[in-house]
Amino acid sequence: MDVLIYLIPIALFLGLLGLAGFLWSLKSGQFEDLEGAKWRILEDDDLDGSAEKKTGEG
Amino acid sequence: MNVHARDWDAFVTPAEEGAVHMDLAVEGITCAACMGEIERGLSRLPGIRKARVNLTSQRLAVDWDTGQTGADEIVAELSRLGYTAHPFDPASQKDRQDQTGKNLLRCMAVAGFAGMNIMLLSVSVWSGNATDITPETRDFFHWLSALIALPTVAYSGRPFFKSAFTALRAGRLNMDVPIVIGVTLAVGLSLIQTMQHQHHAYFESAVMLLFFLLVGRYLDHNMRGRTRSFAENIAALKAEVAARIGSDGSVREVPLSKIKPGDMVLVMAGDRVPVDGVVFDGRSEIDQSLVTGETILHAVGKGAQVYAGTLNGDGTLKVRVSTATGATLLDEVNRLLETATQAKSLYVRLADRAAQLYAPIVHGAAAVTFAGWMFAGADWQPALVIAISVLIITCPCALGLAVPAVQVVASGQLFKSGVLLNSGDAIERLSDVDTIVFDKTGTLTTAEPCLLDNGQLSYELLALAGRLALSSRHPLSSALVKASGALRPFGSVSETPGAGIEATVDGVALRLGSPAFCSVPDAEIGALLKMHPGASVIAVKHGAEPAVLLPLRQSLRQDAAAVMRELSGLGYQLEILSGDRKGAVRAVAEELGLANWQAEVKPGDKIAHLEALKQQGRKVLMVGDGLNDAPALAGAHVSLSPVTAVHLSQAAADAVFLGDKLQPVADALQISRRARKAIEQNLWISALYNVVAVPIAVAGLVTPLMAAVAMSASSIAVTANALRLRWGEGGSTRSEL
């Protein structure tokens, strides 16, 4: 049972990390446009020219 | 034709590091491709820091360096890409940030996080209690739960604490009072139990309860938020701006909020008058149909009073703003509006009415349970534990979701039919309507006039007249353009302000304008008006031939008659209440087969009439669009207004409907009736659940695990029932709209 001393703080820390992540994304406005977000992942803007060419040829 | 530049700087707000920020409502964003196109296109401009399109609300937020680029260039680039942008008034900007929604979401996230962790610990304790947990471990888990639960309740419970406190101070009971009492008691007692090394604590019940309720609260809020943002877009698309004439004579477009009394405003031909004021210079005709419901054009000249929302004819006017004098039509309407809104705020929502019934019963049951167990010889602590479990198991968790869940689904259905809700309880109020009062102009009829009869006009002449009408911005001309389908205007057209326009076609003079301008005898006009009561008349004269008179009037919405039949078939009593003249209203009423109609009704009288109907015990739905309807819209039991309505009326109405048809009105009534039924079913489900659960809880047989399962099950049941509203409707969806 001594292992609980480590496990519980770790579990709580991971949970808090998730909560902090959510609150951060909320604050940075990522929940303001859920409709747009689902389309943005399909955009290829972040690929540079060579990568784009490669996918184009492939 | 708007030659004056817009003063874009008035719409800009400062952003960080010397950059500026502007919000635009963009027309024409329909898909994800548009989003990428706009963002990529704008970021090619120099000095653009950030350009982000919000697809949900169809808005664009841009940040840029003023040194390198200007607002004009951004708007120019947008229109080059094929999108029309309309700026928001920065004065209303701070209201647009959805602080409440974000706050609820934060509370929900914290409660969710805490609930999950406490549940993990609680399940361990429950299973440990059944097997081999040591008292030390159990205490440790309980203390840990307390450590998570206490700050969570303090943080996530704020929306409930605040609302319960406000209600109690006003001497009322609402849903939040039993919630707050239940949660506080549960946490407090759990703390005592923990200190005394007992087997059970109830932190998870308290926190999960908050979580479920916050979900309901957020759904409720979100539904209203979506309508609000669309309504604001519509307002921005309708360009709430005015062209101010500066002291140096320059004309710049500025937001309405920057206009002060005494300012001089330029109103171009065909534009809406943005302010109340007195004509300083110029002659024109004014279409006041949106303001008074009258469909006849009024000639105005120097010294005449003009009202915001009216449509200018073919002359350019300089107007001195007089809004501050306190005697304008707008002030009168505002005053009536305020009284009407106050009267309406007395309406108690169904959920709160249920809570008023519910709270005393729940609290009474818990108190009786406590007393009963004490009387039966139990210790105070176990007795209190049982009383609290009664409080928690009956707690309006399902009740909290019952109404918002249905409202969210129903508002989605309404949205599909083109109805946007302004207030959350509009659905409830729509469902108990039994009388519908329609305004005429712009509501039963289209907002713009149409050609009634071109029997005397040959096809060739209509085409010529249409081409000539293209050169005029008079509202009647645009109706003629639409009727003829003309595309190419004539090259040289001479205009006589306030009378008409003239061009020479193949050596023959062609005139379009007032009957006097085309020298038509009065007798002929009288005869035509007898045939078409309430119509406006323009004349066309080609060469030496006798002039042809054209009657124009706002025509009925295309499906108006069918919708009236449908509504009276459903048992609604229908009435027309219009500010227009008798003849015009009678014609419409006869065409629609409505026996109840009143004409020449002033805004105050409209309210009085609605009040009289209310005295008779009627629940009235008011449908109207004009400035004169706004107080009536606010005062009616529930109200709808078309999207073409003046801003004030839209704000006063409970819902706004889109499109040229009247069908959304009928749809709204039907959907809300079904929603009302679903809400009632949900309240019954919650009640039924309580009937089963309460005796078990009173008997002291509820373990925390059972309470948690029962609570979740009831919440899922009401949510599923709300979704049924969508499935059940599948077959009869009016997707063709």
Side-chain angles (χ1 to χ4, degrees), chain B residues 479-667:
Chain B
L480 195 57
V481 171
K482 229 185 264 170
S484 65
L487 292 174
R488 284 176 304 127
F490 292 117
S492 59
V493 175
S494 64
E495 182 170 353
T496 316
I501 48 178
E502 182 172 16
T504 309
V505 187
D506 301 328
V508 186
L510 179 67
R511 278 185 163 204
L512 172 71
S514 65
F517 183 62
C518 300
S519 45
V520 180
D522 283 348
E524 210 170 309
I525 307 169
L528 186 77
L529 281 179
K530 207 168 263 172
M531 263 167 65
H532 300 284
S536 302
V537 180
I538 54 172
V540 181
K541 190 170 168 66
H542 191 224
E545 291 169 44
V548 180
L549 284 177
L550 296 174
L552 293 121
R553 196 174 64 196
Q554 276 99 337
S555 65
L556 283 177
R557 283 179 192 256
Q558 160 195 346
D559 61 344
V563 171
M564 290 303 132
R565 271 198 302 280
E566 185 183 344
L567 288 175
S568 56
L570 286 168
Y572 292 108
Q573 183 178 327
L574 307 174
E575 285 184 30
I576 299 179
L577 205 57
S578 173
D580 203 358
R581 288 151 308 113
K582 272 214 170 79
V585 183
R586 183 187 293 127
V588 168
E590 276 168 7
E591 202 169 340
L592 292 174
L594 300 184
N596 289 323
W597 56 270
Q598 283 185 42
E600 292 166 25
V601 189
K602 292 195 175 62
D605 299 340
K606 282 198 179 188
I607 291 200
H609 183 71
L610 292 183
E611 203 55 48
L613 284 172
K614 201 191 271 177
Q615 294 301 326
Q616 293 169 26
R618 300 202 156 272
K619 300 275 200 285
V620 180
L621 163 64
M622 171 85 202
V623 191
D625 73 325
L627 199 61
N628 59 336
D629 297 316
L633 288 169
H637 186 62
V638 60
S639 50
L640 273 169
S641 100
V643 74
T644 46
V646 291
H647 186 67
L648 196 65
S649 300
Q650 277 185 26
D654 292 302
V656 173
F657 66 93
L658 312 170
D660 293 329
K661 292 188 174 177
L662 212 54
Q663 187 61 45
V665 177
D667 285 351

Side-chain angles (χ1 to χ4, degrees), chain B residues 172 337-349 352 425 429 614 634-637:
Chain B
R172 290 181 296 115
L337 201 58
E338 227 161 83
T339 2
T341 317
Q342 271 166 10
K344 189 148 88 177
S345 65
L346 292 174
Y347 179 82
V348 185
R349 291 178 178 215
D352 279 339
D425 49 1
R429 283 187 274 123
K614 201 191 271 177
H637 186 62

Side-chain angles (χ1 to χ4, degrees), chain A residues 12-51:
Chain A
L12 281 181
F13 173 73
L14 288 175
L16 270 176
L17 212 62
L19 180 65
F22 177 78
L23 291 179
W24 170 78
S25 58
L26 183 66
K27 198 173 176 193
S28 65
Q30 296 188 33
F31 282 83
E32 268 162 30
D33 181 21
L34 297 174
E35 187 68 22
K38 79 178 177 200
W39 292 104
R40 272 178 211 281
I41 53 165
L42 299 176
E43 295 212 345
D44 296 336
D45 285 3
D46 47 349
L47 304 176
D48 56 24
S50 62

Side-chain angles (χ1 to χ4, degrees), chain B residues 177-228:
Chain B
V177 176
I179 296 170
V180 167
I181 294 179
V183 167
T184 323
L185 271 180
V187 170
L189 184 81
S190 302
L191 210 58
I192 297 172
Q193 302 261 66
T194 305
M195 284 181 203
Q196 296 179 342
H197 313 289
Q198 303 262 0
H199 281 218
H200 294 297
Y202 305 94
F203 293 114
E204 79 290 330
S205 308
V207 174
M208 289 306 277
L209 183 67
L210 281 184
F211 176 66
F212 276 122
L213 289 167
L214 282 166
V215 171
R217 218 38 73 93
Y218 180 68
L219 286 179
D220 189 40
H221 174 85
N222 219 15
M223 176 197 82
R224 269 172 285 163
R226 187 161 71 166
T227 309
R228 208 163 34 237

Side-chain angles (χ1 to χ4, degrees), chain B residues 139-171:
Chain B
D139 279 353
F140 173 60
F141 277 20
H142 277 167
W143 276 117
L144 214 52
S145 300
L147 202 67
I148 305 171
L150 288 175
T152 304
V153 169
Y155 182 81
S156 300
R158 282 173 311 156
F160 304 103
F161 293 137
K162 217 183 281 170
S163 136
F165 182 67
T166 327
L168 282 180
R169 211 167 43 175

Side-chain angles (χ1 to χ4, degrees), chain B residues 311 448-450 469-470 472-484 512 538 552:
Chain B
L311 192 61
E448 268 95 46
C450 292
L470 276 172
S472 160
R473 295 201 63 191
H474 197 283
L476 294 180
S477 309
S478 43
L480 195 57
V481 171
K482 229 185 264 170
S484 65
L512 172 71
I538 54 172
L552 293 121

